[in-house]
Amino acid sequence: MKTLNKFAAFTLTVALAATATSCHIYKKFEMPSESALGADYVQAKAQEVDSTALGNLPWQQVFTDPVLADMINKALQNNTDLKNAKLNIDVAHANMLGARLSYLPSVALAPNGAGSTTSLPNASMSWTYQIPLSVSWEIDVFGKILNNKRSAEEAYRMSLDYEQAVKSQIIGAVANSYYAISALETQLDLQRETAANWAKTIDMMKAVWEAGNTTAAAVVQSQAQYESILASIADLETNLHEMNTTMSLLLGEMPQTWAIPAGLSIELPAEFNAGVPMVALANRPDVRAQERQLAIAYYATNSARAAFYPSLSISPTGGFTNSLGGMIFNPGEWFLNLGAQLTAPLFARGQNIARLKATKAQQQQSLNTFEYTLMKASGEIGSALVTYTNALEKEKHLSAQIDHMTRAVDITETLFLNSATNYNTTYLEVITAQQNLLGSQMNFINCQLARSRAVINLYQSLGGGR
């Protein structure tokens, strides 16, 4: 009994001493604030969420077009990537439950029996049996189970962030495809109208040529430009088909043509609230997910540190048997054993040291990636704002240019029809004016599409997609 008491006292002393030197193993993850970027992020997360900020608005309040809203809803229901993201949540949730249940003891029932006899006359079979119930319970003195549990919880939260990121990407992709199809339809309408007008120009050139007021080169040049327009129509039809296929895949449908009107675009509200820059960054799902990854790396380092400390387990065993002390009883008797084990690592061929060094390096990698994600996110917000602002300014100039080019076409055509001399240069002016007008109109459509995409990208970059 004295020996047992001494062993218990020694075990308790070792446990208390190890606990005193391993308090940091039990600490929860806190975002490092040594750098200015980390300090700003910690401060931003402490601020109250602004529900009026653009990134916090539900997507239904941003994309109000009913046709587009129906497509987004269909995509969120059918998209394969989002389905897989939700399944990842189920996997992470199961792992988290498993980590939490690690605190409970494991129980095993292993009944066994055996029979034996001898070659002596009249010897009978002697049966022994045992119905043991064993319990093994690891006492989490040094936070091994605790850190695994916290890591699993962060992985579960990260899967939720990933789901929102996928949802945001799907919403943005559907909206971008929607307005891209509309822009292609607009360009196709413009090119077809231009082709019809250019056919009239060819007839005009032929009439003037037959009247002897121009050369055959004017007719040939007009015909060449007409063929170029028809070729561009074929390219636009190909692009439209590909974009419709992209939309079909986003919606989880077989490839088909979607009835999307031409001439659509989207603008930011006259007064919109982008939110405080760092607060907006902290609201992004990819930034939050990277923060979770950093926390997982932190708990992995804690687990590596915990491997240097002893593990304590209690293993009681009880049951029913008819064999006790080498004697057979019939009927049997109950038995009970109680054991405890303290295992302290002394030499593991440097594996624990190597693991700790590796987890520390991985933790630093996660911190570097987190800071880069913050900087990249900030750049995306700035780029979207600049693109939107410049697109608005560019549209004004292109609109004025189209007005001037339209007048230039009217003037050059009038001069060409009324001129009986110097026609060698006049017909080129007519063709050039028409080409410039078409180019300006196509640029205006592309500018409208760029503005719509800037709105979508800004909403995504601010963490939108709820």
Side-chain angles (χ1 to χ4, degrees):
M1 181 63 68
K2 289 182 179 180
T3 303
L4 182 60
N5 290 337
K6 290 181 180 179
F7 175 75
F10 172 76
T11 301
L12 181 60
T13 301
V14 172
L16 290 176
T19 303
T21 61
S22 62
C23 293
H24 56 282
I25 293 178
Y26 305 98
K27 289 183 179 180
K28 282 191 173 183
F29 168 76
E30 294 180 357
M31 175 59 65
S33 56
E34 291 82 5
S35 64
L37 195 61
D40 291 343
Y41 182 78
V42 172
Q43 185 179 1
K45 287 195 65 178
Q47 296 187 28
E48 187 175 349
V49 176
D50 183 3
S51 59
T52 65
L54 179 64
N56 293 331
L57 295 178
W59 65 263
Q60 295 89 343
Q61 296 182 19
V62 179
F63 306 108
T64 56
D65 186 318
V67 178
L68 174 58
D70 289 342
M71 288 184 167
I72 292 175
N73 276 320
K74 183 178 290 186
L76 294 179
Q77 293 173 3
N78 300 337
N79 188 269
T80 301
D81 290 337
L82 188 58
K83 288 180 179 179
N84 289 336
K86 291 179 179 179
L87 291 174
N88 285 335
I89 293 176
D90 295 338
V91 172
H93 187 261
N95 292 335
M96 181 182 67
L97 291 180
R100 289 177 175 176
L101 292 176
S102 297
Y103 285 103
L104 300 179
S106 60
V107 182
L109 179 65
N112 61 82
S116 62
T117 185
T118 66
S119 59
L120 297 175
N122 300 323
S124 61
M125 183 72 71
S126 175
W127 293 96
T128 62
Y129 60 87
Q130 189 174 21
I131 309 176
L133 182 68
S134 60
V135 179
S136 179
W137 187 13
E138 182 178 356
I139 309 301
D140 191 32
V141 180
F142 302 107
K144 296 178 182 178
I145 298 177
L146 175 66
N147 283 293
N148 288 335
K149 178 184 76 71
R150 288 175 174 173
S151 178
E153 290 172 346
E154 291 295 338
Y156 172 69
R157 298 186 188 102
M158 186 171 66
S159 67
L160 295 176
D161 294 329
Y162 176 73
E163 182 199 22
Q164 186 192 337
V166 173
K167 183 179 178 182
S168 178
Q169 291 172 359
I170 292 171
I171 293 171
V174 172
N176 274 317
S177 300
Y178 182 79
Y179 290 109
I181 291 174
S182 178
L184 287 171
E185 293 283 7
T186 306
Q187 290 179 332
L188 266 174
D189 291 343
L190 175 62
Q191 291 280 37
R192 287 165 180 162
E193 181 183 354
T194 301
N197 292 334
W198 208 275
K200 296 178 182 178
T201 300
I202 295 175
D203 293 337
M204 179 188 69
M205 291 289 184
K206 287 181 178 180
V208 175
W209 172 60
E210 290 173 355
N213 293 331
T214 188
T215 65
V219 178
V220 174
Q221 190 79 8
S222 299
Q223 289 175 333
Q225 184 62 29
Y226 178 68
E227 297 297 336
S228 175
I229 294 173
L230 294 180
S232 65
I233 290 176
D235 289 337
L236 287 173
E237 288 176 342
T238 300
N239 294 338
L240 182 60
H241 174 77
E242 292 176 352
M243 191 55 63
N244 275 297
T245 300
T246 299
M247 178 67 85
S248 300
L249 295 176
L250 287 170
L251 302 186
E253 300 276 354
M254 291 296 291
Q256 57 187 282
T257 300
W258 299 93
I260 298 175
L264 299 177
S265 62
I266 184 174
E267 295 184 10
L268 287 172
E271 295 182 2
F272 77 95
N273 178 13
V276 181
M278 185 56 74
V279 176
L281 294 180
N283 195 41
R284 284 176 53 127
D286 58 335
V287 173
R288 292 201 309 268
Q290 195 56 52
E291 181 186 2
R292 310 289 188 201
Q293 187 61 54
L294 179 56
I296 292 173
Y298 170 82
Y299 292 127
T301 302
N302 278 358
S303 296
R305 287 194 178 102
F308 287 89
Y309 298 100
S311 60
L312 178 63
S313 60
I314 300 175
S315 304
T317 304
F320 193 75
T321 182
N322 70 336
S323 177
L324 291 174
M327 301 183 65
I328 299 177
F329 296 87
N330 195 9
E333 299 288 344
W334 291 95
F335 71 95
L336 177 65
N337 295 322
L338 180 61
Q341 183 178 14
L342 181 68
T343 305
L346 296 179
F347 179 68
R349 295 175 295 181
Q351 293 181 0
N352 287 339
I353 296 176
R355 180 189 173 196
L356 180 59
K357 288 182 178 179
T359 54
K360 284 182 176 180
Q362 290 168 350
Q363 185 178 343
Q364 184 60 46
Q365 285 179 333
S366 296
L367 178 59
N368 295 341
T369 304
F370 170 77
E371 291 181 345
Y372 175 77
T373 303
L374 272 181
M375 292 184 287
K376 181 182 177 182
S378 178
E380 290 176 355
I381 294 175
S383 296
L385 281 171
V386 170
T387 301
Y388 180 78
T389 303
N390 290 340
L392 284 176
E393 185 68 20
K394 186 177 179 180
E395 278 186 42
K396 296 178 183 178
H397 298 301
L398 288 175
S399 180
Q401 185 185 34
I402 290 173
D403 292 338
H404 295 315
M405 288 297 178
T406 303
R407 289 180 58 195
V409 169
D410 293 339
I411 293 172
T412 53
E413 286 181 351
T414 301
L415 290 175
F416 178 76
L417 292 173
N418 295 333
S419 176
T421 60
N422 297 327
Y423 50 78
N424 288 332
T425 57
T426 305
Y427 85 86
L428 290 176
E429 293 177 357
V430 172
I431 294 175
T432 301
Q434 290 176 333
Q435 288 176 334
N436 291 339
L437 175 59
L438 178 60
S440 298
Q441 291 170 327
M442 295 291 285
N443 287 338
F444 184 80
I445 297 170
N446 288 331
C447 187
Q448 284 186 317
L449 178 59
R451 173 168 53 81
S452 297
R453 284 177 170 169
V455 174
I456 298 166
N457 293 339
L458 180 60
Y459 178 64
Q460 283 186 273
S461 62
L462 290 172
R466 289 164 179 74

